Amino acid sequence: MRLWLLRTANVKQALAWLRKFLVACCVTACCQVCYSADVVLLEKGDGPSLSSQRAAVAAGFYGLRTTVFHLKDRSDDLPAIKAAEQNSTVAVIITADVLHAINSAHLLSAIRRENGHSIPILIDGITTETGAEDLRQWSGGAVSGCQGPVSITEQSVYRISTIQEVTRQLSGQKLSARTGQTCALIVDGSRAESVIDLSSVTDEKPVFVKADVGAARVFLSSDVALAHVEPPPSALDESLYEFSEVAPAMMFLRYAAGDRAWHANGHYANLTVDDAWLREPYGYLQYSDLLQEMRRHNFHTTIAFIPWNYDRSEPDVISLFRANSDRLSICIHGNNHDHQEFGPLASRPLDAQVNNIRQALARMEQFRKLTGLPYDRVMVFPHSIGSEAVIGALKGFNFLATANSRNIPLDSHVALDPQFGLRSWTLAFRNFLSFRRYSAEIPIAMSEVAVDVFLENPLLFYVHPAYFAEGIGRFDTMADTVNQLQPGTLWRGIADISDHLYLEKMRDDGNFDIQAFSSSLRINNVHRKDALFYVEKDEDFHFPLELLVDGLPYNYTRIGARIAFTLPVGAGMSRQVTCRYQNGLDLKSVNISKSSLRVAVLRHLSDFRDDVVSRSRIGRTFIRVYTDHEEQANAGIATVLMVLFFTLLVIGWRTWRTPHPNREQRLE
């Protein structure tokens, strides 16, 4: 009986092992077919964690595919390990609560590549409850625990270390931290290097570190429990706060993926001066002096030109622009600059606003004929960005972009896409390129600029002529800061920036995917070999579309709400891509006369403001207050003028009615 039981047990054990072997074989075969991923994410099976959500935002930003594996114990880790072995996998992210369920030796072996290098690992969401032995094992003894809780207060900041390959342009910066709680990693400084420290008034505590474990580079990040806060008031604040939350994942994946992640083909920047026209000087703006500052400090200035001024340019200034097109350019600033002429549709009907766009284009074409100067088909809205409908009209008239302090139309809400705040541009509204820009007239935190540079966002700054009251070199410091953060920054006109606004990443076959954002695109092959570029661009197909490459018609495929086409580009060469929308616009038939007395008075008063009123500090204060409260100020001024008018009328009437001897003698 005992022998029979032993044999039966052996048979059962053998069958069990056979079953496991067959399952493993099936899993291995399936992994070879199915688990082709850029990022392998391992987490618990009870729903997505904050760590996985942050990883998803970062992976989506960089265009990386993510395969998620839910683990309970070590019997679940085989598919994940097989996925990590694939050559297409560039990174592994593990939430700290499943470290015990993974065979570290097997995974560290799986991430080793034929060239001897290993893909990096991020262990995220470490808390005070994470096992000390697990942390020592995975970090090679560099991290042994997490002390806490550590409060994150309003005075706390994240201080970024200088590890160039990881921190890049963020090196040495301090990022604002949202209030909440975290824990401080217990680190052996001889085995690990801190990437991010939580800095307070009294001390600094490591919350994101890297350690070398054999051939593998392992990053470890502590968890953060955020307090409930109201949404930030501006797009800039929103961008910064969102980035500080995902900074470890963003840094890690940018480091891990390299050219396999979405990346720009260059870093671009621009300064725009609103309202000025081509007269020397215009207020405090002296073009010849500004040109010298641009040359010394390497920046480019665009004049946001009001089309009403199309026939007022001075010959000397025209010649200056013509001879220095690498430093000076022109874009479109409204039409009449009639206060908020592209304001709410309830007060400014869409038809009237569309007619304003037509007239602005017709006037700028006349400006081009009179001066011989080109202009960028980019709209800078006066006072604030227009409605979504008028943005759609800009697209139909083949504008390239709009650039404003906000890139969200005045009648729209912030997009719910978690990546929205990480970009300084968007196609979320009518598939039209909308830039967000900084006002250099108010203090700008260098951390905000550094975040945008790290994210490879174009930096667009703007000012008004009175900005130069403190000296024509006032912008020099900002230009120097940008050039120091990112040497080789390309300062260009906004149209040129739009022309190069696309993201690129390398495919498995060595060719390249392109994500396009502008209707005009110059694709540069900066690589040492000929390549195919697989281009995609979002489209709403509201207007008939013709695709041109180097000026000739080119075929494309419509895939849902996108167009797609493949473009061969020789090594070191470039090709020009243009999406041209059919609109039937005949600019010759558009009336460009200045028939409105009210607009003429307004424009001359604006010139008086910039040339005379702004000459004093009191005057500049008045202008700033007026600009910030224009609607109320206009109502107040109108009321004062009406009261003054009626007062003078009454005084005049009474004077006329009052008997006067001299007047009676004259009448006699």
Side-chain angles (χ1 to χ4, degrees):
M1 179 64 69
R2 291 177 59 188
L3 180 61
W4 180 84
L5 290 174
L6 180 61
R7 288 178 176 175
T8 302
N10 288 339
V11 170
K12 289 182 178 179
Q13 187 178 20
L15 289 174
W17 277 107
L18 179 60
R19 188 183 304 111
K20 287 185 177 181
F21 175 75
L22 291 174
V23 169
C25 290
C26 291
V27 168
T28 301
C30 291
C31 286
Q32 297 295 330
V33 176
C34 302
Y35 297 135
S36 177
D38 296 318
V39 180
V40 172
L41 173 63
L42 291 76
E43 66 173 0
K44 290 182 70 174
D46 52 357
S49 63
L50 288 176
S51 295
S52 66
Q53 292 174 25
R54 290 190 290 263
V57 171
F61 183 88
Y62 287 121
L64 301 172
R65 299 165 297 175
T66 302
T67 300
V68 181
F69 295 90
H70 298 115
L71 307 182
K72 293 182 180 179
D73 52 49
R74 291 199 176 186
S75 63
D76 299 329
D77 69 351
L78 182 58
I81 290 173
K82 287 298 180 181
E85 286 181 340
Q86 304 305 306
N87 288 329
S88 60
T89 300
V90 299
V92 175
I93 299 177
I94 308 171
T95 60
D97 53 7
V98 295
L99 288 177
H100 66 280
I102 308 167
N103 187 313
S104 60
H106 289 174
L107 183 60
L108 290 174
S109 175
I111 63 175
R112 194 174 182 87
R113 298 296 181 249
E114 294 180 357
N115 59 9
H117 297 289
S118 294
I119 63 173
I121 295 174
L122 169 63
I123 299 172
D124 193 26
I126 298 172
T127 69
T128 55
E129 298 179 358
T130 304
E133 188 56 38
D134 287 331
L135 288 175
R136 290 191 190 96
Q137 182 179 5
W138 281 94
S139 67
V143 177
S144 58
C146 204
Q147 290 180 331
V150 176
S151 296
I152 307 173
T153 67
E154 293 181 354
Q155 288 72 41
S156 301
V157 295
Y158 291 115
R159 188 184 64 80
I160 313 298
S161 301
T162 300
I163 306 174
Q164 196 58 43
E165 59 183 349
V166 178
T167 57
R168 297 173 176 254
Q169 299 91 345
L170 293 172
S171 300
Q173 296 296 324
K174 294 181 179 180
L175 303 183
S176 297
R178 291 177 62 179
T179 57
Q181 283 189 339
T182 185
C183 62
L185 298 173
I186 303 172
V187 179
D188 181 344
S190 64
R191 300 186 181 186
E193 191 172 4
S194 179
V195 182
I196 301 178
D197 292 312
L198 180 66
S199 179
S200 65
V201 177
T202 57
D203 58 8
E204 291 185 344
K205 301 180 184 299
V207 293
F208 181 43
V209 303
K210 74 175 183 69
D212 291 330
V213 183
R217 178 155 290 181
V218 179
F219 294 78
L220 302 99
S221 180
S222 60
D223 196 27
V224 177
L226 295 174
H228 175 72
V229 295
E230 294 298 322
S234 73
L236 295 181
D237 293 336
E238 179 185 330
S239 174
L240 184 61
Y241 280 122
E242 286 190 1
F243 180 79
S244 66
E245 295 173 32
V246 298
M250 297 290 290
M251 291 182 186
F252 170 74
L253 287 182
R254 184 68 183 93
Y255 162 78
D259 289 344
R260 297 283 295 275
W262 286 129
H263 59 279
N265 71 335
H267 294 263
Y268 290 85
N270 170 270
L271 170 66
T272 297
V273 181
D274 289 358
D275 298 347
W277 46 283
L278 306 193
R279 185 185 69 189
E280 186 83 292
Y282 184 82
Y284 284 97
L285 177 56
Q286 188 85 28
Y287 289 108
S288 54
D289 292 346
L290 181 61
L291 179 60
Q292 300 307 314
E293 300 301 321
M294 287 189 279
R295 289 172 175 166
R296 281 195 289 263
H297 297 272
N298 184 31
F299 64 97
H300 179 106
T301 300
T302 294
I303 301 302
F305 186 91
I306 302 170
W308 190 89
N309 292 317
Y310 72 91
D311 57 353
R312 305 176 74 193
S313 304
E314 294 181 352
D316 290 346
V317 183
I318 294 172
S319 298
L320 188 73
F321 271 70
R322 186 181 296 118
N324 297 279
S325 58
D326 59 328
R327 296 292 180 186
L328 292 163
S329 60
I330 294 167
C331 72
I332 304 174
H333 190 31
N335 180 32
N336 295 311
H337 203 303
D338 180 11
H339 297 298
Q340 200 173 355
E341 59 187 337
F342 294 100
L345 298 180
S347 57
R348 303 266 183 164
L350 180 60
D351 287 347
Q353 296 192 34
V354 171
N355 287 335
N356 259 331
I357 297 174
R358 291 193 184 97
Q359 190 175 60
L361 283 173
R363 284 172 168 173
M364 292 307 295
E365 278 300 302
Q366 186 63 21
F367 166 84
R368 184 181 60 79
K369 293 177 182 177
L370 292 172
T371 63
L373 296 176
Y375 65 92
D376 292 349
R377 213 156 176 148
V378 173
M379 174 63 77
V380 174
F381 285 107
H383 297 288
S384 65
I385 189 171
S387 65
E388 189 169 356
V390 81
I391 283 176
L394 291 178
K395 177 180 179 178
F397 289 132
N398 287 299
F399 275 74
L400 298 177
T402 180
N404 308 276
S405 57
R406 285 174 56 85
N407 58 4
I408 304 167
L410 59 84
D411 58 351
S412 299
H413 300 288
V414 178
L416 298 178
D417 183 352
Q419 299 174 27
F420 180 84
L422 299 176
R423 288 293 185 201
S424 65
W425 76 86
T426 181
L427 288 181
F429 309 101
R430 302 296 178 97
N431 293 124
F432 183 68
L433 180 58
S434 180
F435 285 108
R436 164 176 53 79
R437 58 183 191 161
Y438 292 96
S439 171
E441 296 173 352
I442 58 178
I444 304 172
M446 286 303 100
S447 57
E448 294 184 21
V449 178
V451 167
D452 266 336
V453 176
F454 177 85
L455 297 174
E456 299 182 304
N457 290 329
L459 297 174
L460 273 59
F461 303 92
Y462 76 98
V463 298
H464 295 83
Y467 170 81
F468 298 103
E470 298 179 19
I472 198 65
R474 186 178 175 187
F475 189 73
D476 295 349
T477 301
M478 179 59 70
D480 292 343
T481 298
V482 172
N483 292 328
Q484 184 178 5
L485 278 172
Q486 180 54 55
T489 294
L490 301 169
W491 290 83
R492 299 287 189 270
I494 304 177
D496 198 358
I497 293 174
S498 301
D499 220 29
H500 293 87
L501 191 68
Y502 63 87
L503 298 175
E504 171 186 312
K505 67 174 181 175
M506 189 169 64
R507 296 162 59 100
D508 293 341
D509 61 5
N511 291 305
F512 299 90
D513 287 325
I514 294 289
Q515 189 175 13
F517 300 98
S518 175
S519 58
S520 178
L521 194 68
R522 179 162 290 278
I523 297 179
N524 298 319
N525 183 353
V526 298
H527 311 284
R528 296 180 179 179
K529 62 175 184 177
D530 298 347
L532 292 176
F533 290 80
Y534 295 85
V535 186
E536 291 191 1
K537 180 184 179 298
D538 289 346
E539 270 296 342
D540 60 7
F541 300 98
H542 186 74
F543 302 98
L545 166 66
E546 180 183 20
L547 181 67
L548 304 174
V549 173
D550 298 328
L552 299 175
Y554 202 84
N555 292 328
Y556 66 87
T557 301
R558 178 173 176 174
I559 306 175
R562 292 173 296 161
I563 63 171
F565 57 95
T566 304
L567 192 64
V569 185
M573 305 297 288
S574 65
R575 304 193 71 177
Q576 182 67 43
V577 177
T578 304
C579 295
R580 188 166 61 191
Y581 304 102
Q582 307 299 320
N583 52 49
L585 178 62
D586 179 15
L587 293 179
K588 295 179 181 179
S589 64
V590 178
N591 179 16
I592 62 173
S593 66
K594 304 177 182 181
S595 56
S596 172
L597 177 61
R598 182 182 62 84
V599 172
V601 170
L602 179 63
R603 295 271 37 90
H604 287 292
L605 285 175
S606 297
D607 294 342
F608 178 77
R609 172 200 65 195
D610 294 334
D611 287 332
V612 179
V613 178
S614 67
R615 289 289 174 181
S616 68
R617 186 175 298 274
I618 294 176
R620 291 193 295 275
T621 302
F622 169 79
I623 293 171
R624 185 169 58 253
V625 172
Y626 171 81
T627 302
D628 292 341
H629 305 86
E630 183 178 357
E631 186 174 344
Q632 299 91 324
N634 286 339
I637 292 172
T639 302
V640 170
L641 290 176
M642 289 180 62
V643 170
L644 181 61
F645 173 76
F646 283 110
T647 300
L648 292 175
L649 188 63
V650 170
I651 292 173
W653 175 255
R654 287 183 177 179
T655 301
W656 176 259
R657 296 282 296 175
T658 301
H660 193 283
N662 293 335
R663 184 176 61 193
E664 291 176 356
Q665 291 175 5
R666 287 197 303 269
L667 289 175
E668 292 176 355

